[in-house]
Amino acid sequence: MPEIKHSVTTTTRYLRIAVDVPLYRCFDYVLPSNCDMPATGSRVQVRFGARQLTGIVIETDCQPSIAPNKIRAIDAILDDHAVFTPILYDLALRMADYYHQPLGVVCHTFLPSKLRQPKTIAQTVTPHYQLTHIGREAADQPQKSTKQTAVLQWLKSFGTTDSAISRVDCLEHIPGCGSTLNAMVKKGWLAETHVPQGGIQAQKTAPAKNLNDEQQAALDAIKSASMNKRHTTLLLDGITGSGKTEVYLQAIDQVLQQGRRVLVLVPEIGLTPQITQRFLSRLNARIGMLHSGRTDITRADTWLAARAGQIDVVIGTRSALFAPMENIGLLIVDEEHDAAYKQQDGIRYHARDMAILVAKLHHCPIVLGSATPSLESLANAKRGRYQQLRLTKRAGIAKPPTMQVVDMKDVSYKSALSPPLLKQMREHIDAGQQVLLFLNRRGYAPTLYCHQCSWAMECSNCSAHLVYHQKDGRMWCHHCGLQAERPKSCDNCHSEELIELGFGTQRIEQDITQHFSDTPILRIDRDSVRKKGELERLLAEIQQGKPAILVGTQMLAKGHHFPNVSLVGVLSIDHGFYSSDFRALERMGQLIVQVAGRAGRGEVPGKMLLQTHQPHNTDLQTLLKTGYATFADKLLAERESALLPPYSFHALIQLEAKTAEMAETVMIKFLHAWQRVNANLDAAFLGPIPAPMPRRAGMQRYEALIQTGNRGVLRQALAQWLEEVQQINLPSQLFWALDVDPTGHY
Ligand code: ADP
Ligand code: ZN
Ligand code: ZN
């Protein structure tokens, strides 16, 4: 595109633009004289170096910060209105500050991918239909065409509500009715309107439940805050199946009745089909969904619909946080402890923490819900920053599950299923129930191991073993995606005695088949649900409630409501005891409670069997005997005495380079920069050390940990250090990132 020529005059107007480049500043551009000034928060197309980029207008009519004749003009204004709401823009500023990231990068992180491209974009509109007066009359008469009759009757079944039904819904309900719809519009039986796509008009068809006292108290607390437009963080600490979702739904209903909007975050797409269905049947609202399972176009449509005020409730994963809604009256973060809320690349933001900020900016309450709250949230509740609301009983008739430990010392290492577990599986299956087996490892066998010399097959790019997948008979790296032939012999001693060591979900599936030849086995892990729609199909099959054995990873552990699962077997969680990550125990406890919570959600009481080599571990005993709250208290006390988060603050510097020398040299420069500017601050630079996974995808990985007892000091130290780091010349082929409040393995 040719550069727009302009001459500088006294009437030349300038704007400041944030572009998606890793530089801590915004850039000045000239407004072409034939253009009206775009609103702050609009997208424009600009030339940056040799590239055409999308920019966000940050400031209009600003004073140029460099010589005016050096400033280029913008190439195009992409939107008629700002895509950012003022609050969203405010959020971007605060996030840039908190995570020490360039504003342009933050702004672009907010946008759905379609809107990041320098193109104008219009909402997709889809036809919607509604019976006219004569259409209603026709519906009462017998019609010759069966398709017409079907359409008339179906539309009539919605009554005289003023919402129209989308063409997509019609086609789904009455396949092949497209030309019938067109003909009926011509006849005047149907009114056709064009409604922007993005949201679904939900109709309340299921009634609200009568809340128990604890639920009612929780609802009242939320209601009082939202009525008074008061920001407060409520920690809804309710055991699995205690009716947290029921409380959310009734609270949302209240807020919608005040004419305000609601944002609901859920940790993973695996949870969304069920929760979405429940929301759709309980709210009279326009609901928009934002998660990675939707196409880029639908996501952009939903985003624009939210911006245009056409959506009342947004439900989505992490990035749904950035839905540009105005007038939010309530935010909900379901399963707030879930690690999926932390973004692990790009800007490493924590969606729960940022959701609290959004609630603050909207002066509204936020509910963090969990059966196993994070230690961070529990510590905040203890300090009185969050209001803790407890639900201690299961809602309805369901009872909490009982738990039993199986000592694996007594079981041959060759089998992953202990005799007590097999026996109970048989009993529950024979009684017509479903059994869920949880295992945190997909594939067949995590290691291929030489019987003679202990050689194990490793990935050539990563410090990790290759995992054997029986289905394709190949070895896979779960970190970089590398695939290799299964070796016939040991690389080291050429022995042909290679043993498949350990168990993955595929191997468990195969083992169970031998014991339960005529019971359906449903395996749910990332490999088995790769095909689109497969997860929904498997979940629907489970919902039918016929006897079956479900084998799965995390995907199966969280949030699901399977009324017929009465027995849960946890096959191995022992890595939680040995991990170098100080959060591993917390995660293990949460996982055990969450998995157990899948049992006994219907009429039959639930039971969990936990297989472990550490049956006497005191943390495990605390968890099983006295419950998650005491377990969490114990861990919190340990964190406090060790000065670990949430009693101190961390940031992690992560660095990858082609060679270890290059990585170390740069890390040492980082350390020296730290010492130059932060020597008198009470913040430690620990490292550099090799990352827990020192090599991945061919890159050498190092890290350094920043630790301090004070949030303000962390902020100041990082800001000063980053200024200094800007002066360092970095080699190409080197990547580094800063993770403020890191939560996991790098
Ligand atoms: P959670 O979100 O805490 O796991 P849910 O809201 O999913 O719990 O509730 C678990 C089950 O109990 C659901 O089937 C729900 O419909 C039912 N339920 C919730 N609240 C009540 C209530 N007050 N009375 C009867 N059943 C309820
Ligand atoms: Zn060998
Ligand atoms: Zn690899």
Side-chain angles (χ1 to χ4, degrees), residues 357-370:
L357 185 51
V358 172
K360 248 181 223 160
L361 297 174
H362 281 276
H363 305 289
C364 76
I366 175 168
V367 180
L368 311 179
S370 177

Side-chain angles (χ1 to χ4, degrees), residues 209-212 215 238-248 278 334-335 391 395-397 559 561 598 601:
K209 303 247 184 319
N210 289 324
L211 300 183
N212 64 34
Q215 285 176 310
I239 64 166
T240 55
S242 57
K244 295 183 289 296
T245 312
E246 186 64 34
V247 173
Y248 305 153
R278 220 163 141 193
D334 192 27
E335 311 288 356
L391 306 180
I397 43 168
H561 184 62
R598 297 317 111 211
R601 295 176 71 94

Side-chain angles (χ1 to χ4, degrees), residues 409-428:
K409 173 166 68 52
D410 307 332
V411 178
S412 156
Y413 71 92
K414 285 187 187 146
S415 72
L417 303 169
S418 62
L421 178 59
L422 284 169
K423 180 165 167 278
Q424 299 220 12
M425 285 170 70
R426 172 54 65 201
E427 285 168 19
H428 285 256

Side-chain angles (χ1 to χ4, degrees), residues 369-656:
S370 177
T372 52
S374 62
L375 296 190
E376 278 77 9
S377 295
L378 286 172
N380 276 318
K382 283 183 201 299
R383 284 189 197 123
R385 290 201 197 142
Y386 298 174
Q387 185 182 350
Q388 195 165 0
L389 307 164
R390 288 201 179 81
L391 306 180
T392 57
K393 299 185 281 282
R394 275 202 165 173
I397 43 168
K399 297 269 165 303
T402 54
M403 306 195 192
Q404 181 191 333
V405 173
V406 179
D407 189 348
M408 290 303 277
K409 173 166 68 52
D410 307 332
V411 178
S412 156
Y413 71 92
K414 285 187 187 146
S415 72
L417 303 169
S418 62
L421 178 59
L422 284 169
K423 180 165 167 278
Q424 299 220 12
M425 285 170 70
R426 172 54 65 201
E427 285 168 19
H428 285 256
I429 292 294
D430 287 351
Q433 301 295 315
Q434 294 175 332
V435 173
L436 187 157
L437 299 182
F438 170 80
L439 178 69
N440 221 352
R441 194 172 265 137
R442 65 197 168 93
Y444 185 82
T447 326
L448 197 64
Y449 176 88
C450 172
H451 186 56
Q452 294 302 327
C453 77
S454 310
W455 170 85
M457 190 170 188
E458 291 202 359
C459 175
S460 51
N461 302 325
C462 308
S463 358
H465 288 151
L466 292 184
V467 178
Y468 177 51
H469 282 228
Q470 201 186 35
K471 196 157 172 229
D472 56 9
R474 291 168 74 81
M475 309 295 297
W476 287 65
C477 176
H478 284 186
H479 301 281
C480 74
L482 175 119
Q483 289 182 43
E485 291 290 325
R486 189 195 151 111
K488 302 238 169 348
S489 59
C490 169
D491 257 13
N492 186 39
C493 74
H494 309 294
S495 154
E496 289 186 4
E497 285 182 274
L498 296 181
I499 302 171
E500 288 143 6
L501 198 69
F503 294 86
T505 43
Q506 295 176 6
R507 189 166 187 180
I508 298 293
E509 182 185 16
Q510 191 188 60
D511 284 7
I512 308 169
T513 319
Q514 292 167 8
H515 296 276
F516 296 86
S517 52
D518 36 57
T519 309
I521 298 165
L522 309 174
R523 177 165 64 86
I524 298 192
D525 58 31
R526 246 198 296 152
D527 301 313
S528 77
V529 303
R530 205 151 275 170
K531 210 170 87 199
K532 208 172 153 53
E534 189 60 13
L535 178 63
E536 286 75 7
R537 191 190 69 73
L538 286 163
L539 293 177
E541 192 171 339
I542 300 172
Q543 291 301 337
Q544 289 188 353
K546 300 209 184 89
I549 298 168
L550 331 175
V551 182
T553 53
Q554 312 258 24
M555 271 192 163
L556 204 51
K558 301 175 187 169
H560 298 287
H561 184 62
F562 303 136
N564 266 2
V565 168
S566 56
L567 177 68
V568 163
V570 177
L571 299 191
S572 165
I573 37 91
D574 285 0
H575 55 269
F577 297 120
Y578 304 111
S579 173
S580 60
D581 181 351
F582 70 88
R583 284 191 171 81
L585 260 181
E586 175 189 358
R587 297 241 166 87
M588 188 188 83
Q590 289 166 343
L591 197 56
I592 291 174
V593 175
Q594 293 291 342
V595 183
R598 297 317 111 211
R601 295 176 71 94
E603 290 171 21
V604 180
K607 171 147 200 189
M608 180 188 69
L609 235 68
L610 184 84
Q611 301 190 156
T612 173
H613 284 97
Q614 300 268 329
H616 307 297
N617 177 285
T618 54
D619 294 311
L620 183 62
Q621 287 298 329
T622 307
L623 179 69
L624 297 181
K625 291 212 175 101
T626 56
Y628 181 78
T630 338
F631 169 80
D633 277 347
K634 185 165 181 268
L635 296 193
L636 271 176
E638 285 164 16
R639 297 261 188 103
E640 189 164 19
S641 62
L643 281 181
L644 286 169
Y647 302 97
S648 64
F649 304 95
H650 283 173
L652 195 65
I653 300 162
Q654 312 170 325
L655 187 145
E656 299 191 356

